[in-house]
Amino acid sequence: PRATILSLFQALRDAEAQKQREAKSALKIQKFVRAWLVRKYVRILHARATELQRLWRGYKARKRVAKLRKRLFEERSEQFHSYMATKIQKIWRGFHSRMKVYDFYKRKQYIHNVVQKGKTMMEELDRKEAMDIQKKKEKEEELKARKFEALTSNMHHMLSTASRSGIYQPKGSLQKKELRTAISPENFIEKYKEGQS
């Protein structure tokens, strides 16, 4: 039993000697375990925070997209209604103007009347132009006849015996318009001008 007691004291002394070392080891083990637990907890917190952020951002994005879709739908709906209203207004205004403001049949009759008046006026202008041309020709011929008469008034030798009263023709039997010349007035005037130059 003495050996047992001695061995017991020896074990107690050894335990006392190892106490600080064991305490340090225990502290070290506790430190590592606590650090591991804290890291694990932080990882869990970080994962949960990330999950919460993801959910919150998803919720906010879905709300924003829903708002954008609603606004886009409203804009498209407004554009469609505006387009359809414009089309209806255009059709109504066309119908109203054709029926009430600018009556198609009245306008057609008016255009027909204007065309008829234009044709009548053109015919009148053509007639007037033809008369003016005729008058101009008559004036030119009268002017030529006067010139010819002025040039030939003292040239009785140019007249043929058939158109001169005298031996072969009794006085007063010839009218002025029956005077005939040996050459035409135009040829005479040309020859006269050649002789002058």
Side-chain angles (χ1 to χ4, degrees):
R2 186 177 168 92
T4 306
I5 290 173
L6 284 172
S7 66
L8 183 63
F9 279 123
Q10 186 61 38
L12 283 171
R13 275 195 297 273
D14 288 340
E16 196 65 37
Q18 295 286 332
K19 188 178 181 181
Q20 282 185 354
R21 196 173 156 197
E22 284 175 2
K24 278 184 183 178
S25 296
L27 280 172
K28 211 171 199 181
I29 290 167
Q30 284 176 354
K31 182 176 79 169
F32 281 118
V33 168
R34 283 183 186 142
W36 177 78
L37 285 172
V38 166
R39 278 195 298 275
K40 186 178 177 185
Y41 181 67
V42 166
R43 273 197 303 272
I44 289 168
L45 282 178
H46 182 69
R48 286 183 181 167
T50 305
E51 183 69 17
L52 279 173
Q53 286 175 346
R54 185 180 68 79
L55 291 172
W56 174 251
R57 286 174 185 153
Y59 169 74
K60 290 290 278 183
R62 280 190 295 278
K63 279 198 86 166
R64 193 166 60 245
V65 167
K67 219 183 254 186
L68 283 170
R69 277 185 180 161
K70 187 178 177 186
R71 195 172 75 210
L72 186 64
F73 175 76
E74 286 171 357
E75 285 176 3
R76 284 185 179 168
S77 179
E78 188 178 338
Q79 285 175 353
F80 174 74
H81 288 117
S82 175
Y83 171 75
M84 293 311 286
T86 306
K87 201 161 192 176
I88 291 168
Q89 286 172 355
K90 182 179 82 170
I91 292 167
W92 167 250
R93 285 176 184 150
F95 170 77
H96 180 69
S97 68
R98 281 191 301 276
M99 290 296 129
K100 305 290 180 187
V101 181
Y102 305 110
D103 187 2
F104 173 73
Y105 296 106
K106 282 183 184 174
R107 284 180 69 78
K108 190 175 178 183
Q109 185 61 42
Y110 170 76
I111 290 168
H112 179 71
N113 292 342
V114 167
V115 169
Q116 287 301 319
K117 282 182 183 176
K119 283 181 181 176
T120 306
M121 187 168 281
M122 287 301 290
E123 287 170 3
E124 186 67 33
L125 288 172
D126 289 342
R127 219 176 12 256
K128 191 170 188 238
E129 185 183 14
M131 286 173 64
D132 288 346
I133 289 169
Q134 184 65 29
K135 282 181 183 176
K136 192 175 178 184
K137 278 184 183 177
E138 286 174 3
K139 277 186 181 179
E140 285 175 358
E141 288 195 16
E142 188 181 336
L143 188 65
K144 280 182 186 176
R146 281 184 190 166
K147 278 184 181 178
F148 180 73
E149 196 173 327
L151 288 171
T152 60
S153 60
N154 293 327
M155 297 184 181
H156 59 281
H157 60 279
M158 296 293 287
L159 295 173
S160 70
T161 55
S163 62
R164 188 164 182 227
S165 61
I167 299 172
Y168 301 105
Q169 295 289 335
K171 276 191 174 181
S173 65
L174 289 174
Q175 297 292 329
K176 207 169 194 180
K177 61 181 179 182
E178 293 176 342
L179 285 177
R180 288 188 309 209
T181 58
I183 59 172
S184 67
E186 289 85 7
N187 292 339
F188 176 77
I189 291 170
E190 284 177 20
K191 285 185 180 182
Y192 182 76
K193 283 181 182 175
E194 286 173 11
Q196 291 285 328
S197 60

